[in-house]
Amino acid sequence: MKLIEVKDYQEMSQVAADYLLSKVKESDKLTLGLATGGTPQGLYEALINDHNKNRTSYQHVSSFNLDEYIGLSGKHPNSYYHYMNDHLFKHIDIDSENTHIPSGKAVDLEKECEAYDEKIRLHGGIDLQILGIGSNGHIGFNEPGTPFESNTHIVELAESTREANARYFDSIDEVPAQAITMGISSIMKSKEILLLVSGEAKQVAMKKLVEGEISENFPASILNRHEHVTVIADQEALAMVKGLELLNR
Ligand code: GLP
């Protein structure tokens, strides 16, 4: 795991954008894995700024999002489908046919899960996966206890995750209880992973990721077994980490 230590959220977002843009520019065909939440918003803003200024094209780029709430249609303002259009897709020239988000409204959700992994496989896998981390170590919506072998599946959201995400809804009662998420195994098949971590709320998670053991009780810990992970973390997120030398190994 390689660490890039940055000053703050803004620098994290810009460094991540520069990294992603270098891949967009050097590839003829690129499949991105994309995340939602507060963490990647600054990255997406930086990509939009670049697109407006430099006209970087995404015509050759496909994307697969990590997750979606079950029960919310794409029109719902809190669906991740809506988030992605609003925060990125409608501002750049990516072909909407090439953007993929699991459907939380599929009639047969099990089939939707299987079809999603198959679609990723047919695309030749994910070249670069962007990840955030939940304060309980979740990646995508893979909550503690999720088997490391899991493919795309349906999850019951942890109460702490619903509470953390309630800030986007009118009340916690409106936060869906379930989601569909790429599994740990689906994520680990990505050729490369960029994990973004910012702020005080992620200090404990950051410490466990670097210093803790690899365990299904802390899903992100599996990233220590991936061969090509870069963590971009800001000073606040790193404040509790003693063994910074454990990174960059
Ligand atoms: C959400 C998403 C994750 C995200 C995480 C952290 O529930 N499903 O993909 O990485 O929680 O969110 P945030 O970036 O808002 O802290």
Side-chain angles (χ1 to χ4, degrees):
M1 206 148 55
K2 184 176 167 247
L3 171 72
I4 301 177
E5 190 178 350
V6 293
K7 193 161 95 321
D8 53 17
Y9 180 81
Q10 208 189 341
E11 193 183 345
M12 177 196 77
S13 304
Q14 193 56 53
V15 170
D18 291 345
Y19 194 86
L20 192 147
L21 283 166
S22 70
K23 300 281 170 192
V24 170
K25 288 175 190 161
E26 79 192 16
S27 330
D28 304 331
K29 179 180 173 288
L30 182 71
T31 304
L32 293 173
L34 296 177
T36 49
T39 307
Q41 276 184 31
L43 156 65
Y44 298 150
E45 272 167 34
L47 296 180
I48 295 166
N49 287 340
D50 163 81
H51 182 71
N52 291 338
K53 206 165 134 201
N54 305 317
R55 307 313 305 171
T56 304
S57 177
Y58 294 80
Q59 292 279 307
H60 60 301
V61 176
S62 307
S63 69
F64 285 88
N65 262 78
L66 281 168
D67 46 18
E68 179 60 286
Y69 288 113
I70 288 181
L72 301 192
S73 81
K75 289 201 183 99
H76 192 288
N78 289 117
S79 70
Y80 287 160
Y81 181 93
H82 195 276
Y83 172 111
M84 287 312 300
N85 275 319
D86 216 34
H87 288 94
L88 183 65
F89 297 154
K90 73 176 183 196
H91 305 281
I92 59 174
D93 69 342
I94 195 164
D95 185 340
S96 59
E97 298 263 307
N98 295 336
T99 64
H100 308 274
I101 301 179
S103 168
K105 281 292 234 182
V107 181
D108 188 337
L109 288 164
E110 294 290 348
K111 214 162 146 192
E112 175 71 11
C113 294
E114 274 172 42
Y116 201 66
D117 281 321
E118 181 60 8
K119 235 187 277 174
I120 296 174
R121 199 184 64 78
L122 290 174
H123 265 76
I126 288 169
D127 296 308
L128 178 64
Q129 173 69 56
I130 308 296
L131 282 185
I133 185 171
S135 46
N136 63 359
H138 74 239
I139 47 176
F141 266 134
N142 292 285
E143 298 286 15
T146 307
F148 283 158
E149 314 77 62
S150 55
N151 295 315
T152 298
H153 64 289
I154 296 159
V155 286
E156 302 292 324
L157 296 180
E159 221 27 52
S160 61
T161 301
R162 293 185 68 238
E163 278 161 19
N165 290 358
R167 65 188 194 275
Y168 299 114
F169 292 79
D170 288 337
S171 81
I172 189 161
D173 302 333
E174 288 182 23
V175 184
Q178 291 181 312
I180 178 167
T181 183
M182 266 166 65
I184 302 279
S185 169
S186 327
I187 293 171
M188 287 294 281
K189 281 186 190 131
S190 311
K191 287 162 208 145
E192 184 176 358
I193 295 175
L194 199 56
L195 172 67
L196 310 183
V197 196
S198 168
E200 202 184 339
K202 303 295 169 68
Q203 279 176 359
V204 175
M206 191 66 222
K207 186 178 171 64
K208 282 191 184 161
L209 174 69
V210 179
E211 297 172 10
E213 57 183 29
I214 298 176
S215 153
E216 288 178 352
N217 292 326
F218 192 78
S221 61
I222 189 71
L223 299 176
N224 287 290
R225 290 211 185 120
H226 193 285
E227 283 183 357
H228 201 172
V229 176
T230 305
V231 184
I232 307 179
D234 68 11
Q235 284 170 1
E236 249 184 12
L238 288 166
M240 281 173 72
V241 180
K242 291 198 192 77
L244 272 185
E245 69 284 357
L246 292 174
L247 284 153
N248 295 324
R249 69 202 136 140

